[in-house]
Amino acid sequence: MIVRLGFVAMSKQVPNASPSKTMTEKMLKRIGPKWAAKKVLRLARENLKNTKRILYHAIAHDIQFYRFSSRLIPLASHPTFEKVDFVKPLVPELKEIGQLVREHNLRVGFHPEHFTVLNSPRPDVRRASVQDLVRHVRILQAMGLGPAYKCNIHVGGVYGDKGSATERFIRTFQELDPQVQAHICLENDDTTFTARETLDIAQTVGVPCVLDLHHHRMNHNGESLDRLWPEIAQTWRGETFPPKIHISSPYSKDKPKHHAEHVRREDYLPFLRMAAIHSDALDVMIEAKGKDTTLLQLMEEIPSEPGIKPLDQASVEVFPKD
């Protein structure tokens, strides 16, 4: 099984290259909507410039898997800018990034933030969530990137009735524009919807399912990954890119749901050996606080592991466990 490693948004290796520069609510109020909108565009162009720098860094290190910051356009979902189209004036910069992605066959995407909840019982929250997803998809489309490039989301909360929350998600999803639906994949979470429950919903609405190993350890109802993984991998059949998973390790015993700086071998290697029985390829998103530094550290550790062969600076071949 060919495994490619990736990292999220910020680089610890590239100095002064934040792709998430923003401004405070206090500043927005102080300078007013007109000047704030101009500042948003200026910051967005800086974020996109830094994103290009990070992508060039990734390419130089054979990293083909990267998650864009969902804050490329700061405060884009703020009520002040509800009627402002920030994507259109950024099309030239977005096209440049998309061209770079295609030229180097990179796998990129988004993970909209926690306030994007399609199954909220509040209509206003659902409307805002839909608008946020539409904005993310418009950014991908402006880059010239089609449905192969995903927006990964969670199912959402339980709100006292998991059955109703599930039905509400499915109903809201089915009301989305088909072009938006095509860009979505679903991920299990660490509190409410387990991998099995998320997989069932993903199968119902017809989208791929992303497995987060850390979340599964926190929230699983005794579900076995040996049995789940073949079904999860099947949801990616017909997609351009292979199945993907997220890996991280607990920050501490007191904060087990928080991400540590690094990823312990025992938190991902046993799964990779099992998955190699069923899958030919897998992309692994590292969600550790160490970002690309953690990725490079893992690549230094992996050669000492039996049954794993490094292929380049960011990918390995994993042989099935005996």
Side-chain angles (χ1 to χ4, degrees):
M1 178 176 72
I2 306 302
V3 176
R4 301 187 301 179
L5 302 181
F7 69 100
V8 176
M10 187 76 69
S11 169
K12 290 291 188 79
Q13 300 284 309
V14 183
N16 303 315
S18 171
S20 307
K21 292 183 178 181
T22 188
M23 65 176 165
T24 64
E25 180 92 15
K26 183 178 179 180
M27 178 176 288
L28 190 159
K29 291 179 179 178
R30 181 170 61 83
I31 65 178
K34 179 180 177 181
W35 291 106
K38 292 180 181 294
K39 186 173 178 64
V40 165
L41 281 175
R42 181 178 63 77
L43 290 171
R45 289 191 170 98
E46 288 185 37
N47 289 339
L48 293 173
K49 180 180 178 180
N50 286 337
T51 297
K52 281 185 65 177
R53 291 178 61 202
I54 293 170
L55 288 178
Y56 279 119
H57 156 72
I59 292 163
H61 289 84
D62 302 317
I63 301 169
Q64 292 186 290
F65 190 21
Y66 174 74
R67 182 192 300 167
F68 292 129
S69 168
S70 277
R71 301 178 184 180
L72 289 177
I73 305 175
L75 301 181
S77 60
H78 195 279
T80 300
F81 304 123
E82 186 176 1
K83 296 182 179 180
V84 180
D85 183 357
F86 287 118
V87 176
K88 188 174 181 179
L90 295 171
V91 165
E93 291 88 349
L94 293 169
K95 280 186 175 179
E96 288 181 7
I97 290 175
Q99 183 177 351
L100 187 62
V101 167
R102 292 189 301 274
E103 284 178 356
H104 295 274
N105 194 31
L106 305 181
R107 182 179 192 169
V108 296
F110 284 108
H111 193 344
E113 299 190 80
H114 64 277
F115 53 77
T116 302
V117 186
L118 292 183
N119 75 344
S120 171
R122 291 175 49 186
D124 59 324
V125 173
R126 294 198 302 274
R127 282 195 299 271
S129 298
V130 170
Q131 290 170 358
D132 193 53
L133 278 177
V134 169
R135 185 181 305 108
H136 280 83
V137 170
R138 284 192 65 216
I139 291 173
L140 290 172
Q141 292 174 337
M143 291 179 180
L145 303 179
Y149 304 88
K150 302 298 185 184
C151 292
N152 183 49
I153 62 173
H154 297 290
V155 177
V158 173
Y159 308 105
D161 186 340
K162 184 173 282 188
S164 295
T166 298
E167 292 174 3
R168 199 160 47 245
F169 176 89
I170 293 171
R171 185 168 60 251
T172 306
F173 179 90
Q174 291 174 338
E175 292 171 353
L176 293 173
D177 185 301
Q179 291 188 54
V180 176
Q181 292 177 353
H183 281 276
I184 291 179
C185 54
L186 293 183
E187 175 196 348
N188 59 305
D189 66 73
D190 57 10
T191 305
T192 54
F193 288 88
T194 66
R196 176 74 260 175
E197 293 165 337
T198 303
L199 172 59
D200 289 342
I201 296 169
Q203 290 171 330
T204 298
V205 299
V207 300
C209 184
V210 176
L211 174 65
D212 188 302
L213 294 182
H214 189 167
H215 291 170
H216 176 74
R217 289 191 296 271
M218 298 292 102
N219 179 34
H220 56 73
N221 289 339
E223 299 158 0
S224 166
L225 290 183
D226 295 66
R227 293 184 178 182
L228 277 178
W229 178 248
E231 278 194 74
I232 292 174
Q234 179 70 19
T235 65
W236 289 92
R237 177 164 288 187
E239 294 285 342
T240 301
F241 296 112
K244 69 172 179 174
I245 66 169
H246 296 171
I247 65 171
S248 55
S249 290
Y251 180 78
S252 67
K253 290 184 178 180
D254 294 335
K255 298 179 179 179
K257 294 182 179 181
H258 294 210
H259 295 166
E261 189 76 14
H262 195 50
V263 185
R264 297 194 302 259
R265 299 182 192 196
E266 61 268 27
D267 289 334
Y268 71 97
L269 282 179
F271 174 84
L272 294 187
R273 292 194 170 98
M274 180 277 292
I277 299 172
H278 307 282
S279 304
D280 296 325
L282 178 66
D283 286 342
V284 177
M285 179 56 68
I286 297 168
E287 294 193 319
K289 291 184 180 296
K291 307 290 185 178
D292 48 344
T293 295
T294 295
L295 187 156
L296 298 175
Q297 289 174 347
L298 290 183
M299 287 302 302
E300 290 178 0
E301 296 172 0
I302 281 175
S304 65
E305 293 291 332
I308 300 181
K309 180 177 72 174
L311 299 176
D312 56 30
Q313 298 178 82
S315 65
V316 299
E317 184 172 5
V318 178
F319 299 94
K321 65 179 181 181
D322 297 330

